[in-house]
Amino acid sequence: MVPMRHRLFETPTGLFALIQNEDGSLNTTWLSGKSDSRIAKSRLDRRLLPELADRIKRYFDGQHVGFADVPTPAGPDFHVKCWNACRKIPRAQMRSYAHLAILAGAKADGVRAAGQAMRNNPLPIVIPCHRVVASSGKLHGFAGSSDESGKELAIKRALLELEGANLPAAEPAVNKREAVGAGA
């Protein structure tokens, strides 16, 4: 076993980490209260996985890069199938959770399970879960959040914009008082 190590990247979407666990498996994540504990337990290594780190930097610079050589992490069988299906979504394109569920071998009613697989994606960017959207085409769910004004969906939108995706217009904020007055 090797000591747990990490490398940090300043990105347009916030501080991003590449983590190599003791068993050699990898994780990527944006730093937040949930993920900071892994960083605290690991050693900063600015030379960690230089080739992969270079590709991650180039991705955030807007370049077309591939991650096909990075192994899909271990996990529950359906999650792994979803992660592998997600990896096949072309850059700047989006697929629905229902489509992903079907590609992973579930019926269309496996949408929630596909959503959970994306929520538990240990390798964002490498496994481009930001390319999975609601059946309506609306951005939905990222890092477990569906808050339209939250930073998670802002990251999802920024990644898709970086890739040049044809995104739906952001929905304007609704004044709840006006909506109630209108009989909504």
Side-chain angles (χ1 to χ4, degrees):
M1 289 227 208
V2 296
M4 190 170 172
R5 302 178 298 160
H6 70 274
R7 185 170 184 163
L8 301 175
F9 306 88
E10 287 289 341
T11 77
T13 57
L15 194 58
F16 190 75
L18 168 61
I19 302 165
Q20 185 174 45
N21 299 300
E22 291 174 343
D23 64 1
S25 65
L26 301 176
N27 292 103
T28 56
T29 189
W30 282 268
L31 294 188
S32 69
K34 289 191 287 189
S35 57
D36 291 352
S37 64
R38 285 186 294 180
I39 298 300
K41 292 188 277 185
S42 68
R43 179 173 56 87
L44 177 64
D45 182 349
R46 290 182 177 89
R47 296 178 298 177
L48 177 65
L49 303 168
E51 188 179 325
L52 178 57
D54 179 62
R55 281 185 278 166
I56 291 170
K57 287 178 193 175
R58 290 189 354 242
Y59 171 84
F60 281 109
D61 286 340
Q63 296 180 30
H64 294 251
V65 296
F67 297 105
D69 62 315
V70 179
T72 300
D77 185 53
F78 186 70
H79 284 193
V80 172
K81 288 177 181 177
C82 283
W83 297 334
N84 284 328
C86 181
R87 293 181 87 162
K88 295 176 184 171
I89 302 171
R91 179 184 175 90
Q93 293 188 26
M94 297 171 283
R95 301 291 185 267
S96 70
Y97 290 95
H99 184 87
L100 186 67
I102 291 167
L103 289 177
K107 295 181 179 159
D109 63 356
V111 171
R112 288 184 188 268
Q116 286 303 309
M118 294 301 97
R119 179 182 187 176
N120 292 296
N121 175 11
L123 286 173
I125 305 302
V126 174
I127 299 173
C129 55
H130 58 279
R131 296 177 187 157
V132 184
V133 298
S135 292
S136 66
K138 182 178 174 182
L139 300 188
H140 188 275
F142 192 69
S145 175
S146 293
D147 178 3
E148 290 185 25
S149 62
K151 70 176 183 174
E152 294 86 358
L153 285 184
I155 290 172
K156 186 171 195 162
R157 179 174 288 282
L159 294 173
L160 289 166
E161 288 173 349
L162 175 86
E163 293 180 3
N166 186 13
L167 294 173
E171 293 187 18
V174 175
N175 181 324
K176 291 180 184 176
R177 198 175 295 158
E178 287 176 15
V180 170

